Amino acid sequence: SNMLFYEDTISSDSGKHHSRLNVGIHIERTGFDFAVRNFLPIIVMTIILYFVYFSTFGERYRVMLFIIRLLIIAGVFLTNAEYHLKLLSDIPDSRTIIENGFYVIYLLIILAAMIALFVFIARGKKIQMRIILAGRMLHFFVILGFIFWEWAWMNKLQIF
């Protein structure tokens, strides 16, 4: 059974004792619809953040490109924060795979902001392209690491 019953006694300031019946229910959500509905924003934000590494206009539009990158990053941050807070209000006191996904998005936001800043500061097209390539690879490996970590956690593998 997924239900747990237990009773305790509550004492008030006036010296009266009251008994209370507590019920704990274990509910597990299953189904593809729940996973898609909650993971879809994470997937979309990951793809949008990846666009930060593909936009290049040349040296003439360096400041404009930096501002566009920062706007993309800020938009993803606000969206991620909103969905994360909604998840926390819906499922309190539990660490889920979806919540870990939101933490990975925060990590990718920091990575994208650092790469955008480094590209803005760097002089020379060759150095900028190397920084962007490093950002693409790190973005990919962070996502791959998250997928592997969650797969290992779901299968209860002892990695470390």
Side-chain angles (χ1 to χ4, degrees):
S1 173
N2 289 336
M3 297 182 76
L4 174 67
F5 295 97
Y6 56 97
E7 188 176 351
D8 61 356
T9 305
I10 301 172
S11 299
S12 64
D13 293 336
S14 62
K16 295 181 180 178
H17 297 287
H18 304 279
S19 66
R20 177 174 62 180
L21 178 65
N22 300 298
V23 178
I25 302 172
H26 177 75
I27 299 173
E28 185 175 325
R29 292 185 181 183
T30 58
F32 188 69
D33 180 51
F34 175 76
V36 169
R37 187 176 67 242
N38 287 297
F39 264 114
L40 188 62
I42 294 172
I43 294 167
V44 169
M45 287 185 283
T46 303
I47 293 168
I48 290 172
L49 271 178
Y50 203 66
F51 284 130
V52 168
Y53 306 115
F54 283 100
S55 51
T56 56
F57 293 124
E59 193 64 30
R60 184 174 177 189
Y61 301 104
R62 211 165 62 90
V63 175
M64 183 180 72
L65 179 61
F66 182 64
I67 292 171
I68 290 170
R69 285 179 174 154
L70 289 182
L71 288 173
I72 291 170
I73 293 166
V76 169
F77 174 75
L78 292 173
T79 305
N80 192 51
E82 179 181 340
Y83 276 103
H84 192 185
L85 289 174
K86 182 183 177 307
L87 176 78
L88 291 176
S89 68
D90 290 346
I91 309 172
D93 299 331
S94 67
R95 186 74 181 261
T96 62
I97 294 173
I98 296 169
E99 187 176 4
N100 291 342
F102 287 117
Y103 290 128
V104 168
I105 295 295
Y106 289 126
L107 179 65
L108 291 174
I109 288 169
I110 293 169
L111 175 67
M114 288 174 47
I115 295 297
L117 181 64
F118 293 156
V119 169
F120 180 71
I121 293 172
R123 297 288 183 207
K125 189 74 169 170
K126 194 172 189 177
I127 295 172
Q128 290 175 347
M129 292 309 291
R130 285 184 180 170
I131 294 170
I132 288 174
L133 180 62
R136 288 179 190 170
M137 290 172 53
L138 285 171
H139 189 98
F140 175 74
F141 285 122
V142 165
I143 293 169
L144 198 63
F146 166 69
I147 291 169
F148 175 74
W149 182 266
E150 293 302 330
W151 173 80
W153 181 78
M154 286 175 57
N155 292 309
K156 309 281 191 265
L157 299 178
Q158 297 294 327
I159 300 172
F160 300 107

